[in-house]
Amino acid sequence: AFMAFGSFWLANGLKLIISNYFPEEIDSELLSTDDPGGNFVRQLWILGFVCVLFKQTLAMNKLTTGLISTLIVFQLFACLAEWSLAAEWIQMILGWVLSVYAFFMFAAELTNEVYHKPVFDLRPWHKESSVEAFGTAGRPNMLQSKAIELRTVFHKELDYFKNDDVRAARSATNSSPTSSKTQP
């Protein structure tokens, strides 16, 4: 979900860069159309997506939850910015706050990854939060999530029961694995 959301923001940023630095590439009629209702629907759609991401941050850490909460407030004001000058100013201020906050989060996560220990305390919701949320194949010792541990325990229990069944079957027939090998 975060990757899709990040891709959306990259595409949105690319649109802004093209419209600012290469305006001849986009039809001027598309850029000059004033549509507050359309902007409201667009921002509301983004707000819905951010609210879905908020749930995932509750499994990560408190600073990420704070970042997404600030983004939710930012999106609320972005919905209203077309109709209110005050909402537009608040959106601008929250944009700066979000930029600084997001950069700090990036730097803290990167630093913690480089040093393989928590240099910056990101305030996890519970002890296993960071392992569960960021357990990916490229990160050393991070792919051992609870699901894998449960699966491993389940298979060990199955092996135990299979061995009991084999032992019971062997004792019922009074044959052992070595006796079958010794007979011609």
Side-chain angles (χ1 to χ4, degrees):
F2 282 96
M3 188 170 149
F5 193 59
S7 298
F8 165 78
W9 282 112
L10 287 173
N12 199 30
L14 181 64
K15 178 224 166 227
L16 290 173
I17 289 170
I18 289 174
S19 64
N20 285 327
Y21 295 105
F22 307 103
E24 64 278 354
E25 299 297 324
I26 299 177
D27 187 16
S28 61
E29 192 174 295
L30 288 175
L31 295 176
S32 63
T33 305
D34 188 28
D35 185 15
N39 184 58
F40 175 78
V41 170
R42 177 179 178 267
Q43 299 298 338
L44 196 62
W45 180 81
I46 297 169
L47 176 64
F49 199 71
V50 173
C51 288
V52 170
L53 292 179
F54 177 76
K55 180 187 175 290
Q56 179 60 31
T57 65
L58 295 175
M60 295 167 62
N61 56 57
K62 294 175 185 172
L63 290 179
T64 304
T65 303
L67 179 69
I68 297 298
S69 299
T70 308
L71 185 57
I72 288 172
V73 174
F74 174 83
Q75 284 304 124
L76 283 171
F77 283 103
C79 288
L80 305 173
E82 292 288 326
W83 293 294
S84 169
L85 184 61
E88 208 170 323
W89 276 97
I90 292 171
Q91 181 191 8
M92 183 194 66
I93 293 167
L94 283 173
W96 281 99
V97 169
L98 273 169
S99 297
V100 171
Y101 197 167
F103 182 77
F104 167 76
M105 288 294 299
F106 163 74
E109 282 287 339
L110 182 66
T111 304
N112 287 350
E113 277 298 310
V114 168
Y115 290 104
H116 300 292
K117 62 180 181 178
V119 177
F120 291 100
D121 182 19
L122 300 178
R123 309 216 184 266
W125 286 106
H126 50 84
K127 189 177 177 181
E128 295 86 19
S129 290
S130 61
V131 175
E132 288 297 312
F134 295 111
T136 59
R139 297 176 69 164
N141 303 322
M142 290 295 184
L143 198 55
Q144 298 298 321
S145 69
K146 287 185 180 202
I148 292 172
E149 290 173 19
L150 289 174
R151 213 174 309 132
T152 306
V153 169
F154 177 71
H155 286 297
K156 285 180 182 175
E157 288 175 359
L158 279 180
D159 290 341
Y160 176 77
F161 288 124
K162 285 180 187 175
N163 289 337
D164 280 351
D165 293 341
V166 170
R167 279 189 223 119
R170 284 186 183 152
S171 66
T173 60
N174 289 331
S175 66
S176 67
T178 55
S179 64
S180 64
K181 290 180 182 175
T182 57
Q183 294 177 351

